[in-house]
Amino acid sequence: MTADRSGDGEVPAGDDRVSLAVWKFASCDGCQLTLLDCEDELLAVADRFRFAHFLEASSAVDDGPFDVSLVEGSITTADDVSRIHDIRERSAVLVTIGACANAGGVQALRNLADVDVDELRSIVYPSPELISTLASSTPIADHVEVDLELPGCPIDRNQLLEVLAAFLAGRAPNLPTTSVCVECKARDLVCVAVAGAEPCLGPVTRSGCGALCPSVGRGCYGCFGPAEAANTSSLVERLRGDGVDDGRLTRLLHTFNAWAPGFRDQPVAVADPTRSGR
Amino acid sequence: MTQGSDDRRIVNTGALARVEGEGAMRVEIVDGELVAVHLDIYEPPRFFEALLRGRSYTEPPDITARICGICPVAYQLSACAATEDALNLIVDGQLRALRHLLYCGEWIESHALHIHLLHAPDFLGCDSVVELANLDRSAVERGFEIKKIGNRIMEVVGGRAIHPVNVRTGGFHRVPTARELRVLRDDLVRGLELADEVVDWVAWLVAERGPAWNLDHELVAVDHPTEYPMMGRSIRSDRGLTIDVAELLDHVEEYQVEGSTALHARLLERGRYLVGPLARYGLAADRLAPRAAEAARRGGLGPICRDPFASIIVRAVEVVHAFATAIELVDAYRRPARPALPLPTEVELRERVGPGTCVGHGVTEAPRGLLYHRYRVGGDGLISDAVIVPPTAQNQPAIERDLWAVVERNLHRPDDELRRLAEMAIRNHDPCISCATHFLDLTVERS
């Protein structure tokens, strides 16, 4: 798809910047937009990183190899399966950015739907036979080795800058693995689950957003995905005890990280269409 | 790049850059005559409308935001408008004013992104904003400063710049205090001054480019009696169409073209039409804030602008309008007593809807044009049917028409120049391919 542009962005002699590539699969563009949203830092980033392939920002692209690839989006077509393998081969370091790339995204609701992909196709398109897609939406790590997964729907700007800075310094990025509850307490926010009886995924959701939802008085909806060693079933029991019915619980857990292990098997276990070959 | 055998010449470029999403473009020239122009959207389908079935009527603002990271507020507010319509909820007063302010933030952010990072490099022959910064660093820094203020508005009102967390059916989760909004004021005044400078800069870019184009599309935008189009309940065209939002699907037909995951749209018995800045300006220039009307005059715009290459000026004028409007909204803000209208209880909803379904229609103006949502909701509060008509699907036939005109008049040019012109003709309309899946490689075939 991009091969014909080769040569447009040849590395100028003496350019010793790190080559950075940004790739898009099934997604909303919001995570790569996060890089363009670094208004104060983007030109400084461009002093150290050369955008070797970043279609949303530049017409100049080269064929790699790339020092760092940022990958947004999930795998939903047969072509994309081969494309991600090709990108992996050309990338020294591959970082997935956001819930789509890490967990399949909101489009992975198809994996959990009680209708098959043919039905989904015919609901949206008058001529479904013209649309080619896989039965499931899967994370990048299901297909190739991933060096780092940056969470969020969308990712956090400061975490992205931390990853880039850490790469330049040759160190591991400092990313929290605690739950949203820790950030919520650190901000001195009133607990919306205890004080407001709002169903909140904060106890099982990875921190990094700054406890945004509790700060506006709503329960966390889990857009950063499951925290390390999250005990989701315990939270589910607690919410059931508070009178939240299973329909609502399922909808709460099954949004932007619906297919993430820890969320997808709650509140009831579901079959894995990628394994049953549906 | 040119390929081909003895009698056939194919010019081919890769994935279109500086647009949101993935697609390609193919131009076919036989015996020196243009025979076909196609936009091919290969952005993989995500089936939002199907996956919304069975979800609660309160979920579309959060879920449909994920259709587009560039204009999530547009999705959220069209979704709110539609779900509130289904429940006969009318969000007005300061709650509506806060939505208006939030939307101004998204227009500022999205337009500043498109003007500086995606579109302006075309006018100066640059590949990217980084290259543009080497030519004119202060113009780029000014653009970033404006963009950042837009994001700041979305953070203060919406809780987050991309996929705001604070929007809900009926209003907001939390309404900011008057003091929290007043903190924005100095930035908004500064932004208004910078936006005026941008109008002069882009007017110069367009004037340097050469003679104006005049492309003939029916212009369609949301209509509001007193406001420049952003939120409203009716839709108007420059050729006599005036309809209520509930009638939109009676007048718009979505159809499919092979090789594209995007649905195309046309007006029944009228054909292609154009939504977005040119349409809004053409239909409602008289409703711009006085400061923006003055900027439009300075930028050389008449009462109507049919030159897609001048759309960058209209976007800059809309940024002035958005800042002027935002300042007024902040100055007039009184914190509402409650953050949202109360939603019906389960029992009330069952009684109101009965055994069937209720239907709600919503329309707002995304930065790139009219965005329509329709939901059917059952007495259990669950969505049984969802229809979303995004701006780029509506604009695709008009963009193809523009491409045709631009390529046809420039057939004598070398392939590389032709490709750049064609890509620019597409970027003129700020297509959002992620939205449209339901959009772009340029292939030029010459024989």
Side-chain angles (χ1 to χ4, degrees):
Chain A
M1 279 176 277
T2 57
D4 292 325
R5 278 206 187 244
S6 59
D8 277 15
E10 279 166 23
V11 186
D15 190 339
D16 57 357
R17 292 177 295 175
V18 173
S19 63
L20 177 76
V22 182
W23 307 96
K24 176 181 160 61
F25 291 86
S27 66
C28 79
D29 277 69
C31 288
Q32 55 178 313
L33 177 66
T34 304
L35 183 52
L36 301 181
D37 271 1
C38 298
E39 289 96 359
D40 293 337
E41 301 89 2
L42 190 68
L43 293 178
V45 168
D47 286 340
R48 304 294 301 273
F49 291 87
R50 182 175 59 85
F51 297 142
H53 185 285
F54 186 5
L55 280 175
E56 188 168 319
S58 177
S59 312
V61 296
D62 69 39
D63 289 338
F66 310 102
D67 298 316
V68 186
S69 274
L70 303 177
V71 178
E72 171 192 279
S74 69
I75 304 297
T76 60
T77 68
D79 281 351
D80 282 351
V81 173
S82 54
R83 192 157 65 99
I84 190 60
H85 279 99
D86 176 50
I87 289 166
R88 174 71 267 190
E89 276 172 26
R90 290 187 279 150
S91 309
V93 171
L94 189 152
V95 179
T96 56
I97 53 171
C100 295
N102 298 338
V106 67
Q107 57 274 14
L109 286 172
R110 76 175 73 173
N111 308 2
L112 299 151
D114 49 16
V115 295
D116 66 13
V117 74
D118 291 332
E119 176 77 19
L120 298 178
R121 247 194 299 242
S122 62
I123 290 170
V124 178
Y125 293 95
S127 311
E129 71 281 359
L130 298 179
I131 300 296
S132 148
T133 185
L134 297 173
S136 61
S137 169
T138 45
I140 301 299
D142 279 11
H143 303 271
V144 297
E145 192 183 340
V146 170
D147 300 297
L148 178 73
E149 294 184 335
L150 201 53
C153 185
I155 56 170
D156 177 76
R157 178 170 44 194
N158 291 322
Q159 289 201 345
L160 176 62
L161 288 170
E162 164 63 15
V163 167
L164 296 178
F167 181 87
L168 291 177
R171 61 172 171 81
N174 181 15
L175 301 171
T177 56
T178 53
S179 76
V180 169
C181 286
V182 174
E183 285 182 310
C184 202
K185 293 293 155 288
R187 285 189 64 176
D188 237 353
L189 295 169
V190 173
C191 178
V192 295
V194 172
E198 283 285 325
C200 179
L201 296 183
V204 297
T205 298
R206 191 167 165 181
S207 59
C209 66
L212 289 176
C213 286
S215 78
V216 297
R218 75 181 288 192
C220 164
Y221 61 78
C223 72
F224 270 58
E228 250 179 39
N231 190 349
T232 315
S233 55
S234 171
L235 178 69
V236 163
E237 281 318 307
R238 157 80 203 241
L239 291 172
R240 275 193 183 120
D242 289 346
V244 183
D245 69 50
D246 273 17
R248 188 169 179 201
L249 270 173
T250 306
R251 290 194 296 275
L252 182 63
L253 283 158
H254 292 173
T255 58
F256 316 110
N257 290 280
W259 197 237
F263 281 6
R264 74 184 185 206
D265 45 2
Q266 295 291 339
V268 284
V270 290
D272 182 345
T274 56
R275 279 167 204 146
S276 66
R278 186 176 76 177
Chain B
M1 181 184 282
T2 302
Q3 314 164 339
S5 57
D6 299 343
D7 59 343
R8 193 172 186 83
R9 203 168 155 223
I10 301 167
V11 184
N12 199 350
T13 78
L16 194 83
R18 284 183 279 122
V19 294
E20 293 116 14
E22 298 212 319
M25 174 171 59
R26 178 186 163 84
V27 173
E28 204 175 326
I29 301 158
V30 175
D31 297 333
E33 222 176 289
L34 182 61
V35 296
V37 171
H38 294 293
L39 297 184
D40 174 11
I41 294 185
Y42 52 78
E43 179 89 21
R46 290 180 288 159
F47 306 112
F48 275 92
E49 287 143 308
L51 297 171
L52 282 161
R53 292 187 178 186
R55 306 294 301 207
S56 165
Y57 76 93
T58 57
E59 291 188 284
D62 288 327
I63 290 178
T64 64
R66 269 70 183 179
I67 291 174
C68 180
I70 325 287
C71 48
V73 170
Y75 279 89
Q76 294 189 324
L77 294 185
S78 284
C80 286
T83 52
E84 288 155 7
D85 183 44
L87 300 169
N88 298 316
L89 293 174
I90 295 171
V91 174
D92 56 10
Q94 288 297 317
L95 286 176
R96 183 182 186 276
L98 267 181
R99 287 185 170 174
H100 203 169
L101 177 61
L102 176 68
Y103 222 151
C104 285
E106 178 159 288
W107 275 33
I108 291 166
E109 191 283 328
S110 177
H111 277 357
L113 171 82
H114 189 261
I115 290 169
H116 298 88
L117 280 82
L118 312 185
H119 209 187
D122 280 334
F123 288 86
L124 293 165
C126 302
D127 283 326
S128 71
V129 70
V130 177
E131 206 180 308
L132 180 62
N134 293 333
L135 287 178
D136 192 344
R137 191 168 179 110
S138 65
V140 170
E141 285 176 345
R142 181 176 61 206
F144 276 127
E145 193 175 347
I146 292 171
K147 185 173 173 301
K148 190 178 173 182
I149 301 171
N151 274 337
R152 188 79 198 121
I153 298 172
M154 286 195 281
E155 285 162 3
V156 169
V157 182
R160 178 158 67 185
I162 301 172
H163 305 328
V165 298
N166 194 22
V167 176
R168 66 182 298 180
T169 297
F172 292 88
H173 290 277
R174 175 186 180 274
V175 282
T177 62
R179 183 191 296 264
E180 284 169 329
L181 287 198
R182 271 202 308 273
V183 169
L184 285 171
R185 203 181 188 285
D186 287 351
D187 279 348
L188 296 177
V189 171
R190 164 91 180 143
L192 181 59
E193 282 163 17
L194 295 175
D196 258 337
E197 293 174 19
V198 172
V199 172
D200 299 336
W201 181 61
V202 296
W204 170 76
L205 289 180
V206 172
E208 288 288 298
R209 215 198 131 261
W213 288 70
N214 189 349
L215 292 163
D216 186 33
H217 305 301
E218 181 160 1
L219 307 174
V220 176
V222 168
D223 192 36
H224 186 281
T226 56
E227 293 170 4
Y228 190 77
M230 198 176 273
M231 302 183 291
R233 296 294 305 169
S234 58
I235 294 152
R236 197 159 73 89
S237 91
D238 67 327
R239 293 182 194 158
L241 182 78
T242 304
I243 53 171
D244 184 83
V245 58
E247 301 172 288
L248 183 85
L249 289 181
D250 300 336
H251 293 269
V252 171
E253 176 194 28
E254 284 196 297
Y255 61 102
Q256 212 174 335
V257 175
E258 190 163 359
S260 182
T261 53
L263 292 168
H264 295 42
R266 61 186 162 219
L267 290 171
L268 285 171
E269 294 170 6
R270 303 167 83 96
R272 69 167 196 278
Y273 62 105
L274 186 73
V275 299
L278 292 179
R280 292 190 291 254
Y281 182 82
L283 286 157
D286 58 335
R287 275 162 265 167
L288 283 168
R291 181 91 174 234
E294 170 59 24
R297 193 200 54 74
R298 232 179 36 246
L301 298 175
I304 196 160
C305 172
R306 294 190 180 277
D307 179 4
F309 291 91
S311 66
I312 193 169
I313 309 176
V314 179
R315 273 187 205 92
V317 167
E318 289 191 337
V319 175
V320 175
H321 174 79
F323 274 118
T325 304
I327 293 169
E328 278 181 32
L329 292 165
V330 166
D331 287 347
Y333 182 65
R334 299 277 178 279
R335 193 181 199 207
R338 53 187 181 189
L341 302 177
L343 300 180
T345 64
E346 280 178 39
V347 174
E348 286 169 342
L349 191 64
R350 247 189 331 264
E351 278 172 5
R352 190 181 307 176
V353 179
T357 57
C358 59
V359 184
H361 309 260
V363 69
T364 68
E365 287 283 339
R368 46 202 56 69
L370 190 151
L371 168 63
Y372 168 85
H373 289 219
R374 186 195 76 187
Y375 300 100
R376 278 184 202 285
V377 180
D380 54 6
L382 302 182
I383 293 165
S384 59
D385 182 65
V387 175
I388 295 168
V389 184
T392 299
Q394 299 175 75
N395 275 347
Q396 196 162 336
I399 297 174
E400 288 183 351
R401 181 72 184 183
D402 280 14
L403 264 179
W404 186 286
V406 167
V407 171
E408 197 168 45
R409 269 193 251 180
N410 290 282
L411 285 174
H412 58 285
R413 291 186 191 267
D415 292 346
D416 260 13
E417 267 184 56
L418 190 58
R419 190 197 74 208
R420 273 189 177 264
L421 270 169
E423 290 191 359
M424 193 171 175
I426 292 169
R427 287 188 205 106
N428 283 340
H429 297 290
D430 189 11
C432 179
I433 297 171
S434 295
C435 298
T437 356
H438 285 329
F439 200 73
L440 272 173
D441 309 85
L442 166 65
T443 310
V444 182
E445 286 192 34
R446 301 192 198 228
S447 68

